Amino acid sequence: MFEYELIKKDGNARLGKLHTPHGVIDTPVFMPVGTQATVKSMTPDELKSIGAQIILGNTYHLYLRPGHELIREMGGLHSFMNWDGAILTDSGGFQIFSLAKLRDIKEEGVTFHSHIDGSAHFISPEKAIEIENALGSDIMMCFDECAPYPCDYDYAKKSMELTMRWARRCKDAHNNTEKQALFGIVQGSVYKDLREDSVKKLLDIDFPGYAIGGLSVGEPSEMMYEMLDFTVPLLPENKPRYNMGVGSPDYLIESVYRGIDMCDCVLPTRIARNGTAMVSTGKIVVRNAEYAYDTRPLDLECDCYTCKNYTRAYIRHLVKAGEILGARLISLHNLYFLINLMKNIRESIKEERFLQFREEFYKKWKK
């Protein structure tokens, strides 16, 4: 029920289809993040209307609240949140290492205290798989440790090797392979030999897809691109490649340029709540005073619902007044912007003009 179909290449950029139990996903794809079983402020129908094909759920957050057993009893995550498209769940590893208090990492797993109420918990690779099986996502991620940036070589090596041992345990524990695909995660920080060793170990275990983790965690963009340039060619061509946690337009384009098929990030909805919109020329902070009398849409080149119906002045008013609709309208626009960007990228690959598309994008877009 899970298969990656490589249709065409334009340089390293790949056009493909990802077959899942909940639909076929056109790749390369941007995946909106639904941390708490919701893409913040968006309904499933709204997500479908802007072309979302697959969304993410967060294992750590859903384990803590409302609990994976409750979601299992409700028929799984698709039924619980009324989303009939594909779902990817992360392992919760990144959140444990970034959010949890007083964590203790050992071979067996991680003991940590909830960021919500301080309660103690233990998650092993086997427990992470149990939780993801209960959630019923189409794509599951192995339990891993995401090493911070910067970190020294010895720490990165030990962390990567632990993650690889955990990957083996995750695959051994996964018992729903007919309906859920388990992806391995390449780690190794910014050290090429560690990245190469990680890929070799994951290929020995054999997963239906591979993610590159531990990037976009504070390192310079040039460093991330260098790691992608080195790592992506080591991955098999006949399986999907996922660059975890990237969502700015330039990161999406540069990931595709290097052969990545899947990206995700909380960025579009997070910055929307702060009054920031992604536009074809970069970004605008619509809460700023300069937009108080601006009758233009957020982006003159956009045809999303927000841009077709509302002015910058009105949206600024909503944001300044603390009205929920302001964050909703910018969130819808930002998500549409990235999803439509990926749609246009797919068209450019199909027509063998991706490099031209990339060049034209950067003529307008500024950080």
Side-chain angles (χ1 to χ4, degrees):
M1 301 182 76
F2 185 91
E3 180 187 2
Y4 174 71
E5 179 186 356
L6 178 59
I7 296 172
K8 190 169 190 175
K9 291 184 69 175
D10 185 7
N12 291 321
R14 292 148 52 95
L15 182 70
K17 289 185 179 293
L18 192 56
H19 298 260
T20 79
H22 287 87
V24 179
I25 301 160
D26 296 309
T27 63
V29 64
F30 174 75
M31 305 180 287
V33 176
T35 301
Q36 309 264 16
T38 172
V39 178
K40 287 195 186 302
S41 80
M42 295 289 104
T43 68
D45 283 348
E46 286 171 328
L47 291 170
K48 289 178 184 176
S49 76
I50 60 174
Q53 304 177 76
I54 175 173
I55 61 176
L56 268 70
N58 185 274
T59 299
Y60 167 84
H61 286 284
L62 296 175
Y63 159 73
L64 290 177
R65 182 175 56 195
H68 61 290
E69 290 298 347
L70 183 151
I71 293 175
R72 189 205 301 272
E73 290 179 20
M74 295 289 175
L77 196 51
H78 293 87
S79 174
F80 187 54
M81 65 183 294
N82 192 33
W83 171 258
D84 60 7
I87 296 176
L88 184 152
T89 48
D90 61 15
S91 69
F94 178 79
Q95 285 71 32
I96 288 174
F97 303 117
S98 63
L99 295 179
K101 305 169 186 176
L102 304 174
R103 62 184 180 270
D104 183 22
I105 306 167
K106 293 184 177 179
E107 187 70 34
E108 296 78 13
V110 183
T111 301
F112 64 96
H113 290 262
S114 164
H115 74 289
I116 299 172
D117 59 10
S119 56
H121 300 267
F122 173 76
I123 291 185
S124 62
E126 292 79 10
K127 183 67 174 180
I129 295 301
E130 175 193 328
I131 297 167
E132 293 189 85
N133 283 154
L135 297 177
S137 53
D138 300 271
I139 302 173
M140 307 161 43
M141 304 307 299
C142 283
F143 192 59
D144 66 325
E145 179 186 1
C146 181
Y149 178 86
C151 69
D152 62 40
Y153 182 88
D154 288 342
Y155 183 96
K157 187 173 189 295
K158 290 177 182 176
S159 174
M160 181 276 289
E161 290 174 343
L162 176 64
T163 290
M164 296 305 100
R165 293 192 296 273
W166 284 357
R168 171 67 70 180
R169 289 167 57 187
C170 284
K171 183 170 182 182
D172 290 345
H174 181 36
N175 58 15
N176 193 24
T177 56
E178 289 297 311
K179 294 183 178 180
Q180 294 178 280
L182 177 65
F183 281 22
I185 304 176
V186 180
Q187 290 289 356
S189 187
V190 295
Y191 304 102
K192 291 181 180 178
D193 63 321
L194 298 184
R195 290 277 174 184
E196 183 173 14
D197 193 23
S198 179
V199 170
K200 287 179 179 178
K201 286 179 165 62
L202 291 175
L203 293 181
D204 285 343
I205 301 172
D206 189 23
F207 292 96
Y210 297 91
I212 300 177
L215 296 179
S216 193
V217 292
E219 79 282 359
S221 57
E222 295 77 13
M223 183 68 75
M224 180 180 79
Y225 300 152
E226 183 181 348
M227 290 300 105
L228 289 176
D229 284 333
F230 177 80
T231 307
V232 174
L234 303 175
L235 298 172
E237 277 224 330
N238 64 340
K239 293 184 179 181
R241 305 158 173 176
Y242 168 24
N243 190 15
M244 303 182 75
V246 299
S248 64
D250 56 333
Y251 277 13
L252 296 186
I253 286 177
E254 294 307 309
S255 293
V256 172
Y257 175 70
R258 290 160 171 84
I260 291 294
D261 307 301
M262 306 162 67
C263 297
D264 79 286
C265 197
V266 298
L267 184 69
T269 52
R270 176 173 288 171
I271 65 172
R273 296 193 298 278
N274 295 323
T276 300
M278 298 175 177
V279 297
S280 54
T281 54
K283 65 180 180 181
I284 61 170
V285 184
V286 75
R287 66 165 51 247
N288 289 352
E290 64 185 288
Y291 302 111
Y293 293 89
D294 197 330
T295 58
R296 295 174 295 174
L298 290 175
D299 188 348
L300 276 65
E301 298 182 14
C302 182
D303 61 355
C304 76
Y305 170 81
T306 300
C307 289
K308 287 193 293 187
N309 291 281
Y310 301 101
T311 65
R312 296 177 180 183
Y314 177 66
I315 295 170
R316 177 182 184 271
H317 156 68
L318 295 176
V319 171
K320 295 291 286 185
E323 287 290 341
I324 295 170
L325 183 59
R328 273 180 40 76
L329 290 176
I330 304 174
S331 292
L332 188 148
H333 164 79
N334 284 349
L335 289 167
Y336 177 89
F337 183 86
L338 295 183
I339 290 169
N340 194 57
L341 174 65
M342 286 303 221
K343 178 183 177 182
N344 291 334
I345 286 173
R346 292 195 296 269
E347 285 297 316
S348 75
I349 298 171
K350 181 179 179 180
E351 297 170 5
E352 298 182 355
R353 54 176 179 84
F354 173 68
L355 290 181
Q356 179 186 348
F357 177 90
R358 177 174 175 249
E359 182 179 343
E360 290 172 353
F361 174 84
Y362 282 120
K363 287 179 180 177
K364 293 186 295 185
W365 191 85
K366 305 294 181 186
K367 280 191 176 183

